[in-house]
Amino acid sequence: MKVSESQKRKTRKQLIEAAVDLFSEQGIDQTTMKQVARAAGVGDATIYKYFPNKEKLLTGYFIWAAETAVETAASVDGVEEFELQERLQLLVDSYLDVLLPEREFVAEILKRFYQAPLSIVTDGLPGQNVFKDCIGEYFDLAIAQGEMEPLPFKEGVVSLLSDYVFALVLFWQRDESEEFAQTTQLVDLSLSCLVLLLKSGLISKLMDLGGFLLKTQLFRLIERGEGVQQLMQSLQLFRSGLGGMAGEK
């Protein structure tokens, strides 16, 4: 009998939830695929139709979290009236809210990613395609509503932003401020800078600079756990400068 897409999605979710519980309780290396399958209530062989190994289960968790965040953001009342920055803010907040209950588990997965960076280079960041599709739709809507001009390098900007979401997770993991205040400030500053940049029409000239900042500097600062205040100050100055340029138009 053919399994429906909704049933496949349900089974995938059951397997991910069972894996998270077992991995958190027993440890990733101490948990077998058979244990995950039985905890999820599926056959021992069925799990391999969805996830061929534990590494795919780990990345599957991030993909599921991304899909859940996108669905949550889309279900918010009045979201169709939101501007681009509000939509992006809602997406990021929804994603971190999904990850929050399993924050320690997320930290453990990230450690494993650090140990095998080539898998990220080869397969891409987990959940990246989910965010790319969503952010691309946000941009199309903002352009259709006259909020900004068409982007000359839309695909590159969308890809950069999907990387940015993952970078925020790394930052959030190291944020020890009360109620993650530093993460909230970083999201607000960085998204406002981005939207001002898009509206200014300078994105084509600053694409390389933005890529360097987000993919190199941000990851370096986050990895070392240093320079948070310097990063915030730089973003504030950057936002002020872009705001002045936008006001001149």
Side-chain angles (χ1 to χ4, degrees):
M1 183 176 68
K2 186 176 180 180
V3 180
S4 67
E5 287 302 317
S6 62
Q7 182 58 46
K8 288 180 180 178
R9 184 178 175 86
K10 180 180 178 181
T11 300
R12 185 164 68 98
K13 181 181 178 183
Q14 289 174 331
L15 287 166
I16 289 172
E17 289 176 342
V20 171
D21 289 342
L22 287 172
F23 289 163
S24 299
E25 179 183 342
Q26 303 178 171
I28 297 173
D29 293 330
Q30 289 70 37
T31 301
T32 66
M33 295 289 281
K34 182 182 291 186
Q35 288 175 327
V36 174
R38 293 183 177 179
V42 304
D44 292 351
T46 301
I47 188 173
Y48 293 101
K49 296 179 181 179
Y50 293 85
F51 304 103
N53 51 53
K54 283 191 282 188
E55 284 65 31
K56 292 299 182 183
L57 259 173
L58 297 178
T59 55
Y61 167 76
F62 276 107
I63 294 171
W64 167 82
E67 292 172 344
T68 302
V70 169
E71 292 171 358
T72 299
S75 68
V76 170
D77 290 340
V79 68
E80 62 275 2
E81 303 297 328
F82 284 14
E83 293 188 349
L84 178 59
Q85 183 174 342
E86 295 172 309
R87 288 177 181 272
L88 292 170
Q89 176 89 48
L90 177 60
L91 179 63
V92 170
D93 289 345
S94 298
Y95 189 45
L96 294 180
D97 284 345
V98 173
L99 298 180
L100 180 59
E102 310 298 341
R103 190 165 183 253
E104 292 184 5
F105 174 66
V106 171
E108 184 61 32
I109 300 178
L110 293 176
K111 287 180 183 178
R112 295 177 76 93
F113 286 165
Y114 294 151
Q115 295 168 2
L118 287 179
S119 64
I120 291 180
V121 174
T122 302
D123 302 330
L125 298 172
Q128 183 181 46
N129 289 334
V130 176
F131 287 124
K132 284 173 70 174
D133 290 343
C134 179
I135 294 169
E137 291 177 3
Y138 287 178
F139 280 6
D140 289 341
L141 185 59
I143 292 169
Q145 293 178 338
E147 189 179 346
M148 66 184 192
E149 296 296 321
L151 296 174
F153 301 107
K154 174 187 168 184
E155 182 133 353
V157 177
V158 169
S159 180
L160 184 63
L161 261 177
S162 66
D163 292 344
Y164 157 86
V165 174
F166 194 80
L168 284 176
V169 174
L170 299 179
F171 186 93
W172 168 74
Q173 271 292 313
R174 290 167 171 76
D175 186 359
E176 299 298 332
S177 61
E178 185 174 356
E179 296 184 353
F180 309 114
Q182 287 188 336
T183 299
T184 299
Q185 185 182 12
L186 175 62
V187 172
D188 177 65
L189 284 169
S190 56
L191 287 181
S192 60
C193 286
L194 170 74
V195 172
L196 284 170
L197 178 60
L198 292 171
K199 290 181 177 181
S200 74
L202 296 176
I203 188 65
S204 59
K205 296 180 180 179
L206 296 178
M207 185 68 181
D208 290 339
L209 177 61
F212 180 77
L213 172 65
L214 289 176
K215 281 192 169 183
T216 305
Q217 295 296 84
L218 183 57
F219 273 93
R220 180 179 62 81
L221 290 170
I222 291 169
E223 179 65 22
R224 295 183 179 180
E226 301 172 351
V228 173
Q229 292 304 317
Q230 292 92 321
L231 175 61
M232 299 297 186
Q233 291 170 4
S234 297
L235 285 169
Q236 287 173 334
L237 289 172
F238 189 44
R239 180 172 65 176
S240 297
L242 287 171
M245 294 175 66
E248 293 172 1
K249 286 189 169 284

